[in-house]
Amino acid sequence: MEKLKVSMTSLGCPKNLVDSEVMLGHFPLDRYEITLDESQADIIIINTCAFINDAKEESVDTILEVADYKEAGNCKVLAVAGCLPQRYQKVLKEQLPEVDIFIGTAEGAQIVDLIEQQLGHSDPIEVVGDPVYLYDDKTPRVNSSPAYTSYIKIAEGCSNHCSYCIIPQLRGKLRSRSISSVVAEAENLVAQGVTEINIIAQDITAYGADRSDGATLVNLLKELVKVDGLVWIRLLYAYPEGVSDELIDLIGSEKKICNYLDLPLQHIDDEILTKMNRHLDEEQTRALIQRLHDEIPGITLRTSFIVGFPGETIEQFDKLFKFVNAGHFERVGVFPYSKEDGTSAAKLPNQVLARTKKSRLKKLMRAQARVSFNHNRSMLGKTELVLIEGYSEETDLLLKGRSSRQAPDIDGQYLITSGHADVGEYVQLEITDSSEYDLIGEIIEE
């Protein structure tokens, strides 16, 4: 019997990507094969994001686009999974009649059974339950990232309840995996050739708070660094209030843990932070940043900010602008506030105009571009260990790579003008030039 071809489109964040990989892992290879060509796929799955309005629009647009393959391609089943069905389960079936299956954030492990139930039938299937699922090291998973790198999701859900955020409703309360489960998954990935692991969760510093077995991020990292073959461990989504002195000491002392920390701050003004239900004030935030730079010389900090939060005044934005312009962060993401139904911030007065949010976003990003450019210029003449990722998308005459200071997909890259190395190899590079976000270098031949 000919195998059915399955195509997966994963939208949104790396946490969603892991969910997509878990879904793909459940397809028996004797009956199904994975394809990147949606036009040839018998089954198309869209794993959606619904965190903010732009993400919802992207999800709906993608669904409508691939739905054409039900007429113009081979598509027999179109399945929509994840945050969009979880959030809008009551209206999606009516608004998107092209879709055959809707499942929420906790039903990924059922995907094959639901597809086989749907094949040959016309009535759409909807399965959206409470978000309580948590995968582990025994859960089948297909690593869709390059063979040398992968994400590990150490926890699911969030109990922080920031006023602007819908995630607790979509993903449920914090649920942490055991240390042994995370370590076993890391060992499995390394056995497959992975040398770089990116630790993710909605809030990695809250890891273990729901458990009573001594699980903490620090204790987890102490075990992960023992995994032979692992070169880099990178920490993403670390809430600032959870960054302890012990964690700082561990990052600074353990060679395998990248001197890199993704630290979403969202703002620096105390009044805005209080309205956001964030738990560190300006003074505490500045002290934390100073401590990180003092204790871990050369650390790379990434953060994200929201502009146009309800009631944000010109003065409050200017304070944020000056904070970014001071150059505390090598990497910054900026997002316009998105008014989301079901959040307490949506009810706040003095909602900021869309054009004002757009203007503030551009101004903040221009400031950060200058900071990033100046930081990159300061790297000229230095050497760094770089992971080779293949040829540049711009030209096959240049190799590209990343250092430990560059997370996959979201940060800049190295363009390599001289020397040769294989994909997945780590090489020493001399930095010869730079731009706002990328660096240029030559491989140091031994």
Side-chain angles (χ1 to χ4, degrees), residues 413-442:
Q413 62 182 352
Y414 275 88
L415 295 175
I416 301 165
T417 58
S418 176
H420 178 76
D422 295 329
V423 173
E425 188 178 350
Y426 292 82
V427 297
Q428 289 291 338
L429 209 70
E430 181 181 357
I431 302 167
T432 58
D433 203 352
S434 65
S435 63
E436 285 181 355
Y437 298 111
D438 297 332
L439 292 130
I440 298 169
E442 301 176 351

Side-chain angles (χ1 to χ4, degrees), residues 215-266:
T216 65
L217 181 59
V218 167
N219 288 340
L220 170 62
L221 291 172
K222 287 178 179 178
E223 296 303 313
L224 283 175
V225 296
K226 299 176 185 177
V227 177
D228 290 336
L230 200 51
V231 179
W232 286 344
I233 301 169
R234 187 178 292 102
L235 305 181
L236 302 174
Y237 309 103
Y239 273 51
E241 59 265 30
V243 179
S244 64
D245 289 340
E246 191 178 7
L247 178 59
I248 293 172
D249 290 343
L250 188 64
I251 295 172
S253 63
E254 282 291 350
K255 184 178 179 181
K256 287 185 179 181
I257 303 176
C258 299
N259 284 355
Y260 177 109
L261 194 60
D262 176 32
L263 198 70
L265 297 178
Q266 313 306 358

Side-chain angles (χ1 to χ4, degrees), residues 40 127 172 257 268 303 306:
Q40 298 300 309
V127 183
I257 303 176
I268 194 58
T303 194
I306 295 172

Side-chain angles (χ1 to χ4, degrees), residues 97-111:
E98 303 90 344
V99 178
D100 302 298
I101 298 173
F102 293 100
I103 61 172
T105 58
E107 285 75 39
Q110 303 176 42
I111 187 66

